[in-house]
Amino acid sequence: MFMRVVFPQPEGPMKLTNSPLSMEKVKRERISVSPKEKERFLARTTGIPLQYSARWHSVKGQVRMYKARKFLAVSERKGSCGIDKGCTKRQEYGTSISIGGIMPKKEPLPLQGKLFRFVPTEKDVRSLPQKKRIRMLFELLLIREFETRLLELKDAGLVHGPVHSSIGQEGAAVGVMSALDPRDAVASTHRGHHHFLAKALGYYLPDYDPETAPPPDLNRIVERTLAEIMGLSQGFCRGRGGSMHLGDKGSYCYGTNAIVAGGVPMATGLGWAFALDHAPQVAVSFLGDGAVHQGVVHEVMNMAKLWKIPVLYFIENNLYAVATSVNEASAVSRLAQIGMGYGLSSLVIDGMDPDTVSLAVQFARKEALQGEGPFWIEAETYRYRHHAQSLPGSAFGYRDKEEELKWQERDPYRTYPAKLLKEGILGEEGLARLKTIVSQVVQGAVDKLVRKEGTSFVVGEELYPKAEELEIGVRSDGKELEGLPYREDPVVESDGSTLASIGEKKTYVDVISEVIGRRMETDPRGIVIGEEVGHLKGGAYMATKGLSKRFPGRVIDTPISEAGFTGMSLGLALSGKRPVVEIMFPDFALVAADQLFNQIRKCRFMYGNQHDVPLIVRTRVSIGTGYGAQHSMEPASLFALFEGWRIVAPSTPFDYIGLFNTSYHSLDPVLIIEHQALYPMEGWVPKDRDYCIPFGKALIRRKGKDITVVSYSRMVHRALEAAELLKQKGIEAEVIDLRTLDLLSLDYQTIGQSLKKTGRLLIVEEGHLYGGLGGHIADEVQRRFFDALDGEILRLGGKNIPMPVSKALEVLSIPDVEDIVREIQRSLE
Ligand SMILES: Cc1ncc(C[n+]2csc(CCOP(=O)(O)OP(=O)(O)O)c2C)c(N)n1
């Protein structure tokens, strides 16, 4: 058994100028060591830290090692290493290694993508306007001052929440922003103050020359940034976001993000929107060296390359994720190689030098817009302080002072001014002036937010957000839903004859594609996204029939990457598009859980109600099809946990059209729950496909006086069947179809009015009884309408088991008509 281990260069970073970082030629040297000596050997010959040898431990027995500059081949069996035996040149590159005596010829295949170190020449640097370089220096000094003061405030107990300082990484932020168009979009990480400040300054003060008097807007930006981090109402997100959800839509800064890599899909979606509009903009997605290992990053990189999305993944490799070093966390030592794995052009740059960063981003941005698509830029940088503390990392034992001192030599706070002074771009006096301005601006912001009381500093109570703001922005204020062409199903009023005379009979599944198509033909922002939505003439279940032909380029068949494409749809929605996303089976929502519940659902609220999130997710409950435990979820109660989601469950073709249209006009994310069993169901619908049905309005499907049965989706039809059977026994059940299921808009008014008449309530749902929606409804009903109740509230729901495949067991897992009849009778006993 052989293993090949790729190690970092012991000599430090390679010095290649814009040339491919190919595998270096193996320098062979045969050494025998005992297993006990192996760690010492590694450290001595390669400079690899001991902890790096984790894989090494798995190699047992006498080992032979073949030292290479870039890799080691390790053999358990004496003399059986392919690269030792008269190797060809190719074999010397490690492409042919014998495994248990088999020694196949391994022909190298061409790789997509490029991997190179980007080192600008002096001429390149001279091409940067001097004013731009002074501006970068100014921003760098400002951010350092800001972060330093912020940590002092934190240590003084004046900042509620963590502060992940960017001290050491400022050069990367100012370099990136200097190369962007102000309308380029940026999405940041938990460590993002530097990105935010540089982006906001770039957008609001594009022409500011720091050698002239500072404009009032400069103070305003710094003050509002500080206020946000301190959770104060004057902040960019009204104090909701703080440090880790700090965003400003106005300056295309789509926010820092507290979920590691959580914002990467959104950024990719923002770039996607630019590409769809042929806009000359790119999106930049910042991420740390720890974040690159999140699965969703890989999903979206793949799609970005597939669809040539102009997005720059900018990795600030500061060598640590909290206390875990890159070497401990990454299977490849050069993170840029990861981007290359998806065919991205991948650069390695000196992230401590703003000039290099600026030029690299300028280069990548141009290429991305010219059709190259995404870039992966690994910026070598360093954070001087511990993860979210003012103390250095060495104080926590995962790195030593020596390393920190070494990196101090590359601190842009010192090296960049020195560089500009040396080049005569700035004099000592000019530098001192810049430093004075930044310290005055930051001090001014601190003075506005913190005051002295006795011997201590405090934040004035008047600066905190008011209690009445607490619930603002969970969802839109609903203004977009006013004045829509609402109508009700006249079947309720008559027996369907009215609609039959003016409308047509359609199946549930047919109206899905029809109403989506109708919206897409009237609104160019509409875009359908999902697995197979365009293939098979209409998706796996014909719900998107004919759409890809009618709307080329707007029906996107995705790879199997639910988290990725759902998160990217958020980016589209934030850009004003109207994504209609299909999650093929509700269970797959769990694969996309972070995007659905941490990102999409919280986006409006946590960024201070700045964003509309007009996004539809359609999914199809497939209980009854024998798909078993992992394809039979009923998602209502899961989504209902997350209040930002609106949820509708149309149970007829008529309702589907009306509720879809309302969902499409909504500026909040909406889950539309379909049901496989309803797909073939026929119903009357008007020829006009533009009518809407209001959110939060239940429908009495059958009137009755003895008991109220509350249900939704397929179970409504079972309840109606049961009511029909009971009629013969003289029992009149009133059946309410909830239609809207999210807890904030459940129609308790209709339920309450019914209860005042019947006094009895049965709630029927297909989802699990435990944790089902019915529990919430029962709780609310007894609080609101206790006096109207003449008996206990009864509930029927799915069994609390994963769905079995066997047909015999499957039918037992959810309520059937007989169960409903039985419970109604029990209630009336
Ligand atoms: C999904 C998720 N897992 C874990 C964390 C906890 N956490 C916050 S920051 C961080 C380290 C991130 O490291 P890296 O991406 O390298 O960024 P850096 O902190 O170095 O800037 C971790 C593990 C989190 N916020 N989100």
Side-chain angles (χ1 to χ4, degrees), residues 511-512 514-520 528 578-581 616-618 648 650 654-666 670 672 674 689 691-693 695:
V511 301
I512 298 175
E514 284 184 20
V515 69
I516 297 175
R518 175 65 186 148
R519 294 280 61 82
M520 288 177 84
V528 169
R578 291 288 187 272
V580 178
V581 181
I616 290 177
V617 168
R618 298 178 32 247
V648 295
F654 181 95
D655 276 8
Y656 195 94
I657 294 172
L659 288 169
F660 182 91
N661 283 331
T662 311
S663 305
Y664 193 88
H665 292 297
S666 170
V670 185
I672 302 184
E674 300 165 7
R689 301 282 197 268
Y691 67 91
C692 296
I693 291 175
F695 287 145

Side-chain angles (χ1 to χ4, degrees), residues 483-561:
L484 292 177
Y486 292 116
R487 67 172 288 176
E488 262 318 340
D489 185 347
V491 170
V492 184
E493 308 303 330
S494 59
D495 58 359
S497 56
T498 317
L499 202 45
S501 60
I502 57 160
E504 50 193 332
K505 231 175 181 185
K506 284 278 171 185
T507 60
Y508 188 101
V509 66
D510 279 347
V511 301
I512 298 175
S513 53
E514 284 184 20
V515 69
I516 297 175
R518 175 65 186 148
R519 294 280 61 82
M520 288 177 84
E521 90 191 6
T522 54
D523 182 354
R525 298 170 303 176
I527 177 166
V528 169
I529 296 159
E531 290 155 15
E532 314 295 357
V533 286
H535 292 144
L536 311 171
K537 295 192 180 144
Y541 296 90
M542 285 294 144
T544 43
K545 191 164 71 183
L547 295 179
S548 62
K549 208 164 170 196
R550 279 179 71 194
F551 306 102
R554 291 170 62 196
V555 178
I556 313 294
D557 289 301
T558 65
I560 304 159
S561 304

Side-chain angles (χ1 to χ4, degrees), residues 369-386:
L369 286 175
Q370 282 175 353
E372 177 69 21
F375 266 77
W376 179 273
I377 303 172
E378 179 191 343
E380 293 164 342
T381 182
Y382 202 72
R383 68 161 156 74
Y384 292 124
R385 309 299 177 91
H386 176 52

Side-chain angles (χ1 to χ4, degrees), residues 160-446:
H160 189 58
V163 170
H164 302 86
S165 91
S166 63
I167 292 175
Q169 300 179 206
E170 302 91 339
V174 302
V176 171
M177 303 314 165
S178 74
L180 298 187
D181 178 285
R183 283 164 307 138
D184 287 343
V186 164
S188 174
T189 70
H190 59 286
R191 191 179 308 289
H193 306 157
H194 53 330
H195 308 143
F196 183 86
L197 279 168
K199 179 67 174 127
L201 292 171
Y203 182 86
Y204 291 115
L205 300 172
D207 303 320
Y208 168 53
D209 174 357
E211 292 186 295
T212 62
D217 263 0
L218 176 61
N219 300 68
R220 191 181 59 86
I221 292 165
V222 173
E223 201 177 304
R224 290 192 67 198
T225 308
L226 184 61
E228 186 54 47
I229 295 168
M230 294 175 71
L232 307 178
S233 60
Q234 182 190 343
F236 278 94
C237 309
R238 303 170 182 220
R240 293 275 177 78
S243 163
M244 293 199 290
H245 322 96
L246 166 64
D248 175 45
K249 188 181 174 190
S251 57
Y252 293 80
C253 188
Y254 285 85
T256 57
N257 205 305
I259 301 294
V260 171
V264 181
M266 176 187 69
T268 310
L270 292 165
W272 193 12
F274 291 142
L276 291 168
D277 291 343
H278 306 289
Q281 262 96 52
V282 302
V284 177
S285 179
F286 284 98
L287 53 169
D289 46 88
V292 302
H293 303 301
Q294 284 284 37
V296 78
V297 175
H298 297 253
E299 293 185 15
V300 299
M301 261 199 287
N302 178 47
M303 286 182 272
K305 187 63 192 177
L306 264 177
W307 302 329
K308 301 268 186 291
I309 293 175
V311 54
L312 313 182
Y313 300 106
F314 193 92
I315 293 86
E316 282 169 281
N317 182 356
N318 62 16
L319 301 183
Y320 296 94
V322 191
T324 303
S325 73
V326 178
N327 288 343
E328 286 173 285
S330 181
V332 290
S333 58
R334 225 180 258 295
L335 299 179
Q337 199 179 320
I338 295 171
M340 206 195 161
Y342 294 92
L344 274 65
S345 293
S346 305
L347 322 182
V348 180
I349 60 171
D350 178 358
M352 304 300 264
D353 176 37
D355 292 336
T356 301
V357 177
S358 182
L359 287 160
V361 173
Q362 189 182 312
F363 162 79
R365 184 180 186 280
K366 196 166 161 210
E367 295 261 308
L369 286 175
Q370 282 175 353
E372 177 69 21
F375 266 77
W376 179 273
I377 303 172
E378 179 191 343
E380 293 164 342
T381 182
Y382 202 72
R383 68 161 156 74
Y384 292 124
R385 309 299 177 91
H386 176 52
H387 182 58
Q389 301 249 353
S390 49
L391 291 169
S394 55
F396 296 83
Y398 57 88
R399 65 191 196 198
D400 55 33
K401 283 193 180 147
E402 209 182 321
E403 180 187 295
E404 287 172 348
L405 281 173
K406 224 167 154 212
W407 275 93
Q408 289 286 354
E409 288 163 21
R410 293 174 64 182
D411 183 357
Y413 186 79
R414 289 193 289 136
T415 56
Y416 200 50
K419 191 173 173 187
L420 298 200
L421 287 173
K422 193 170 163 205
E423 290 181 33
I425 289 171
L426 189 74
E428 291 285 1
E429 226 173 82
L431 176 62
R433 209 180 102 73
L434 295 188
K435 286 188 173 172
T436 307
I437 296 174
V438 301
S439 111
Q440 282 170 350
V441 169
V442 175
Q443 186 60 47
V446 173

